[in-house]
Amino acid sequence: MSEKIKLHNGSIRVPDHPVIPCIEGDGTGPEIWAAASSVIDAAIAKVYNGTRRIDWLPVLAGERAYQETGSYLPNETLTAIKECVVAIKGPLGTPIGGGFRSINVTLRKELNLYACIRPVKWVPGTPSPVVRPDLVDIVIFRENIEDVYAGIEWPSDSGEAVKVTNYLNQEMNCRIPEGAGIGIKFLSKEGTERIMRKALQYAEENGRRIVTIVHKGNIMKYTEGAFKTWCYQLAKSEFGHIVITEEELAGKPLPAGKILINDRIADNMFQQILLRSGDYDILVCPNLNGDYLSDAIAAQVGGLGMAPGANVGDGVAIFEATHGNAPKYAGLDKVNPGSVILSAVMMLRYMHWHEAAEAVTTALTKTIQQKTVTYDLARGIEGAEELSTSQFAAAIIANL
């Protein structure tokens, strides 16, 4: 009998037959979701011999939701996710330069999913533009609610933009040209502390030894500079028994049981992840820095088709593809379902169904090493056999 996952004292209780809402997504979303869900269902059935299963609850968001309900994000969808605690989604479209705000951002705000968690690790056999992709094993903790993604902006020549421009120029001695579009970013102490706390909890629970704060505090001193300061303060006040800074370490080996806290300027970090990727373990970032870096690091391990993600708060978690909906490929049964499959693996680990998660990871790795892959990976693997989305899923299932 199906049951909902429950929260108890901050932890989840997962029944053997949990109900999990799923949003298939826009564009290529439906075919990606069909492939990914078939892999997950097959792995659970095989590993647990039928004693466990997921009862998927389809819910609407995006273009299909608007066509059927007149809303891009129906209240029923939000309610279902809140009640079921854990959900998964495919890619949703967002118009550029106009139209509705991002549904992804709206979901994060409405459900207070303040931590975007993106683990990036190379799957052996996956083509890469770098010499040592095996050194990449980094988890990005990206603050999800604040920074530029708060979406506080006004178009050029609007009454609001003119009012803000006049005030800043006249009262704050700024030099903003007339007719400029205006945007405001903010970073709060509360928002910073909770993303750093989440990252340090993850590091402690998963044996991660280095947590790096990524910021542009040399220029934006009172937002990103404050982000850096608040992160260090939180680490010392709540995790002082296990953390040590670079200055305190002074070049000595990291003691057993300790977690190193350091920080890097954002632009330098892009160089670091290419030249010294093995030196980094967990990155804690404001929203935009985390967005750029997660995509850049994913490029080293096969691209966004192999990059999972999750949006997590203190009560609800949504696991999702990190790439867009690729409408030009919609209906062609062509694109890589790997991002949703690996996001589902994250979800299974979150549910403590580790055996199923490991089975999927092993089968996916074997399938790639057999050089039977979708087009995005095939073009980088000599002698590869190019498979469709559905064929790739079938090959993974055969390797379970």
Side-chain angles (χ1 to χ4, degrees), residues 35-67:
S37 59
S38 68
V39 171
I40 301 308
D41 288 342
I44 292 170
K46 185 174 184 64
V47 169
Y48 301 117
N49 296 314
T51 61
R52 290 179 176 177
R53 70 168 187 271
I54 292 175
D55 290 330
W56 303 110
L57 174 64
V59 292
L60 295 175
E63 295 169 1
R64 181 181 166 194
Y66 185 76
Q67 293 168 359

Side-chain angles (χ1 to χ4, degrees), residues 289-353:
N289 292 341
D291 200 8
Y292 290 154
L293 281 165
S294 59
D295 283 18
I297 300 171
Q300 299 185 53
V301 299
L304 291 178
M306 296 297 292
N311 297 298
V312 182
D314 293 325
V316 174
I318 299 179
F319 298 81
E320 67 172 0
T322 59
H323 55 70
N325 61 325
K328 71 176 182 178
Y329 293 119
L332 299 183
D333 194 25
K334 184 179 180 70
V335 298
N336 187 348
S339 181
V340 176
I341 291 172
L342 290 170
S343 296
V345 168
M346 285 183 71
M347 183 187 74
L348 291 170
R349 295 196 189 284
Y350 186 79
M351 296 163 55
H352 302 291
W353 289 15

Side-chain angles (χ1 to χ4, degrees), residues 187-263:
L187 298 174
S188 73
K189 185 177 182 180
E190 177 189 6
T192 300
E193 287 180 339
R194 63 186 184 180
I195 191 67
M196 186 62 171
R197 183 181 298 114
K198 187 77 83 174
L200 285 166
Q201 288 170 344
Y202 183 95
E204 188 174 18
E205 293 167 2
N206 292 275
R208 298 276 177 163
R209 304 201 69 200
I210 305 171
V211 175
T212 302
I213 306 157
V214 184
H215 61 92
K216 191 62 178 171
N218 57 328
I219 302 299
M220 307 197 77
K221 300 180 186 300
Y222 308 120
T223 50
E224 302 207 14
F227 182 88
K228 167 195 166 184
T229 299
W230 291 328
C231 280
Y232 274 117
Q233 290 174 347
L234 184 283
K236 283 295 186 181
S237 65
E238 296 187 13
F239 297 84
H241 61 294
I242 56 170
V243 301
I244 185 170
T245 66
E246 241 171 12
E247 291 75 14
E248 292 168 337
L249 196 60
K252 300 174 184 176
L254 183 62
K258 291 288 187 179
I259 297 172
L260 174 64
I261 308 295
N262 57 18
D263 69 274

Side-chain angles (χ1 to χ4, degrees), residues 8 22 42 52 55 110 146 165 180 221 229 239 257 267-268 280 284 315 321 348 369 372 399:
H8 181 72
C22 55
R52 290 179 176 177
D55 290 330
E110 291 290 330
E146 302 182 347
T165 298
K221 300 180 186 300
T229 299
F239 297 84
D267 43 327
N268 177 47
Y280 297 93
V284 182
L348 291 170
Q369 290 178 330
T372 50
N399 282 324

Side-chain angles (χ1 to χ4, degrees), residues 10-300:
S11 299
I12 60 171
R13 290 183 172 179
V14 183
D16 286 338
H17 301 155
V19 178
I20 296 183
C22 55
I23 300 170
E24 63 179 16
D26 298 327
T28 56
E31 56 218 83
I32 292 173
W33 172 245
S37 59
S38 68
V39 171
I40 301 308
D41 288 342
I44 292 170
K46 185 174 184 64
V47 169
Y48 301 117
N49 296 314
T51 61
R52 290 179 176 177
R53 70 168 187 271
I54 292 175
D55 290 330
W56 303 110
L57 174 64
V59 292
L60 295 175
E63 295 169 1
R64 181 181 166 194
Y66 185 76
Q67 293 168 359
E68 295 188 16
T69 70
S71 171
Y72 285 103
L73 184 57
N75 288 330
E76 292 80 3
T77 296
L78 290 171
T79 299
I81 295 173
K82 289 177 184 177
E83 290 180 349
C84 294
V85 180
V86 172
I88 190 167
K89 60 177 283 297
L92 296 172
T94 300
I96 298 172
F100 60 88
R101 289 280 184 196
S102 165
I103 300 171
N104 293 322
V105 173
T106 303
L107 276 167
R108 295 165 192 167
K109 288 182 178 179
E110 291 290 330
L111 299 171
N112 200 25
L113 307 177
Y114 60 84
C116 180
I117 305 172
R118 293 186 174 180
V120 186
K121 185 177 181 179
W122 185 62
V123 175
T126 305
S128 170
V130 298
V131 176
R132 293 292 307 275
D134 57 298
L135 296 178
V136 178
D137 185 4
I138 297 172
V139 184
I140 299 101
F141 277 75
R142 169 191 174 204
E143 198 288 317
N144 230 358
I145 307 295
E146 302 182 347
D147 199 11
V148 296
Y149 271 60
I152 303 172
E153 60 175 351
W154 301 279
S156 62
D157 296 321
S158 66
E160 294 87 351
V162 170
K163 185 182 296 185
V164 173
T165 298
N166 289 341
Y167 176 79
L168 292 175
N169 286 344
Q170 295 168 14
E171 303 293 332
M172 307 295 288
N173 199 31
C174 297
R175 296 181 179 179
I176 301 173
E178 292 184 8
I182 301 292
I184 296 176
K185 66 179 283 177
F186 69 89
L187 298 174
S188 73
K189 185 177 182 180
E190 177 189 6
T192 300
E193 287 180 339
R194 63 186 184 180
I195 191 67
M196 186 62 171
R197 183 181 298 114
K198 187 77 83 174
L200 285 166
Q201 288 170 344
Y202 183 95
E204 188 174 18
E205 293 167 2
N206 292 275
R208 298 276 177 163
R209 304 201 69 200
I210 305 171
V211 175
T212 302
I213 306 157
V214 184
H215 61 92
K216 191 62 178 171
N218 57 328
I219 302 299
M220 307 197 77
K221 300 180 186 300
Y222 308 120
T223 50
E224 302 207 14
F227 182 88
K228 167 195 166 184
T229 299
W230 291 328
C231 280
Y232 274 117
Q233 290 174 347
L234 184 283
K236 283 295 186 181
S237 65
E238 296 187 13
F239 297 84
H241 61 294
I242 56 170
V243 301
I244 185 170
T245 66
E246 241 171 12
E247 291 75 14
E248 292 168 337
L249 196 60
K252 300 174 184 176
L254 183 62
K258 291 288 187 179
I259 297 172
L260 174 64
I261 308 295
N262 57 18
D263 69 274
R264 299 289 182 267
I265 300 297
D267 43 327
N268 177 47
M269 193 67 227
F270 279 90
Q271 176 177 243
Q272 294 288 313
I273 60 171
L274 286 171
L275 300 180
R276 306 184 66 86
S277 56
D279 291 350
Y280 297 93
D281 206 350
I282 289 178
L283 307 183
V284 182
C285 313
N287 197 297
L288 191 58
N289 292 341
D291 200 8
Y292 290 154
L293 281 165
S294 59
D295 283 18
I297 300 171
Q300 299 185 53

